[in-house]
Structures are given as C-alpha cells and as structure tokens.
C-alpha cells in the first residue's frame, strides 16, 4: 500500500470519526425523527373592553428532514383552537408551519432559527379589526435544552408573526418528559399583540407519539 493510498485511508477514517463524534454531541429532543402531539389547550385573553377565559385543543407534527454533522433541518406544523366556553365572544385559530435549522455546539444545547408562515383567525374586533383568516410570515429562534438525556427536554423560544391586520410576538416554553415512544408535555405561551393593546396567554397539555 503506497503512501498516497495511506493518506486517503487516513483522511476517510478521520472524516468518519468527526461525523460520529459530532452526531453524538447533538442535543436532540429524544423524539426520533418524527413526532405527533395532541392535547388540550387553555387560555386567558386580555384586551380593551374586558378579559376572557378560553378552552380548546391543539396538535403538532414534526419531521426531521436531514442532518449534517452538528446541524439539522426540520419541519414543524402546529394547529391551535381556542374559544370562550359559552360559545360566544372570543375565538382564535392558528395554523403555523416553520422550517427550523439548528446547530448543536455542546452536548446539551441545540439553538435554532426558523422561518415560515402563519394563518390566523380571530373574531374579536378589539384584538383583530376584521374577522376571517389572515396570512403572514413568521421568523423565530429558540434553544433546545436536554436536562436529562433521553428523558427531560425543554425549549424556550420566541416567534414573530407579521400579517396585514395583526403583528404578534410570542414567547414559549415547551417542556416534555419522554418514555421511549410516548411522552407528555406542557407548552406555555405568551402572545403580545403588537398591533394594538392586548395579549393572549395559553397553555397546552399534550401527549406525544414518537416514531
């Protein structure tokens, strides 16, 4: 085996070691490559003219699209429905879809940036001046934190949405316990209405299926 072949072999082995090491350093959510979350949603609306308690449901679907060394690309979609329990007054529906690019720099942290779209509907004029669906773009950032590897994971994040009738900034803390293929979690969000005086605080208690 000549020296040129040895150098090529050494380079190949080194590349494999770098890839394996980087992969082991990724602080991934213990969710495998895909996850489905379904749960109950609760909220508290503050707006000019009065406050309101809300209830509803929510769901999320996540796909990992690929990984390269310490970076990863994923697609996440979310749906949330909230309404006044008596069927009158405030109603809010959100449909979100985001591409997330993350980079894991240490064994327990995975910061990410996201870009996507948001489709929202509200029927309270004090919060949104028009009824009907409103489409806009979304930008976000967050960091996945592995508290206990393979068991406890939490993600603080922020997401800005801009549309024709409504601009919002949402701060979220999503914490989940994982038990192999299933898990449970709590996602708490505070939505600041940047277009007018108002806010929406919500919590989603969900069960998760990992596959």
């Amino acid at each position: 085996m000549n020296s040129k072949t040895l150098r090529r072999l050494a380079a190949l082995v080194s590349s494999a070691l770098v890839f394996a090491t980087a992969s082991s350093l990724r602080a991934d959510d213990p969710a495998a490559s895909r996850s489905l979350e379904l749960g109950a949603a609760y909220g508290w609306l503050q707006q000019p003219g009065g406050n309101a308690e809300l209830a509803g449901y929510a769901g999320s679907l996540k796909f990992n699209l690929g990984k390269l060394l310490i970076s990863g690309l994923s697609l996440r979609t979310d749906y949330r429905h909230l309404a006044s329990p008596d069927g009158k007054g405030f109603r809010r529906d959100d449909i979100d879809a985001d591409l997330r690019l993350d980079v894991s720099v240490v064994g327990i942290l995975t910061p990410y940036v996201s870009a996507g779209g948001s489709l929202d509907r509200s029927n309270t004029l004090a919060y949104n001046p028009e009824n009907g669906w409103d489409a806009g773009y979304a930008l976000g950032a967050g960091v996945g934190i592995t508290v206990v590897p393979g068991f406890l994971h939490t993600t603080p994040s922020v997401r800005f949405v801009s549309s024709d009738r409504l601009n919002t900034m949402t701060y979220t803390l999503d914490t989940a316990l994982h038990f192999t293929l299933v898990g449970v979690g709590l996602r708490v969000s505070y939505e600041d209405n940047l277009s007018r005086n108002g806010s929406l605080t919500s919590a989603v208690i969900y069960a998760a299926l990992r596959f």
Side-chain angles (χ1 to χ4, degrees):
M1 188 177 295
N2 57 40
S3 59
K4 187 175 182 179
T5 302
L6 287 174
R7 285 196 298 271
R8 289 179 177 176
L9 182 60
L12 181 62
V13 172
S14 298
S15 299
L17 288 175
V18 169
F19 181 83
T21 302
S23 297
S24 67
L25 288 176
R26 283 187 53 80
D28 284 332
D29 180 330
S33 59
R34 294 172 295 273
S35 64
L36 174 64
E37 300 171 357
L38 297 172
Y42 305 91
W44 175 253
L45 171 71
Q46 293 181 296
Q47 62 178 358
N51 304 327
E53 294 183 3
L54 310 170
Y57 48 86
S60 302
L61 187 62
K62 176 187 173 184
F63 290 92
N64 286 339
L65 301 178
K67 297 179 182 179
L68 178 62
L69 297 181
I70 61 173
S71 65
L73 183 66
S74 62
L75 173 65
R76 181 183 177 96
T77 62
D78 294 270
Y79 173 70
R80 183 187 60 178
H81 168 78
L82 287 169
S84 302
D86 57 6
K88 300 179 181 180
F90 185 82
R91 174 176 175 173
R92 180 67 182 274
D93 293 280
D94 300 298
I95 302 174
D96 302 320
D98 291 299
L99 281 173
R100 293 185 177 184
L101 177 65
D102 65 62
V103 178
S104 187
V105 292
V106 295
I108 62 171
L109 300 177
T110 304
Y112 73 84
V113 293
S114 66
S118 184
L119 191 61
D120 302 314
R121 179 175 64 178
S122 303
N123 68 342
T124 301
L125 298 183
Y127 199 83
N128 191 334
E130 296 182 30
N131 293 329
W133 292 97
D134 192 19
Y137 70 88
L139 299 173
V143 56
I145 304 171
T146 299
V147 182
V148 180
F151 180 68
L152 178 60
H153 188 272
T154 188
T155 303
S157 63
V158 60
R159 187 172 186 262
F160 170 73
V161 174
S162 178
S163 61
D164 292 337
R165 303 193 299 265
L166 184 65
N167 295 330
T168 61
M169 184 73 77
T170 302
Y171 307 90
T172 301
L173 182 63
D174 192 347
T175 302
L177 294 172
H178 305 279
F179 310 100
T180 312
L181 297 179
V182 298
V184 294
L186 172 64
R187 183 162 54 252
V188 179
S189 300
Y190 175 79
E191 178 185 275
D192 186 10
N193 188 332
L194 303 178
S195 301
R196 51 196 53 83
N197 186 21
S199 64
L200 175 60
T201 303
S202 65
V204 178
I205 302 172
Y206 62 85
L209 174 64
R210 319 295 183 176
F211 53 97

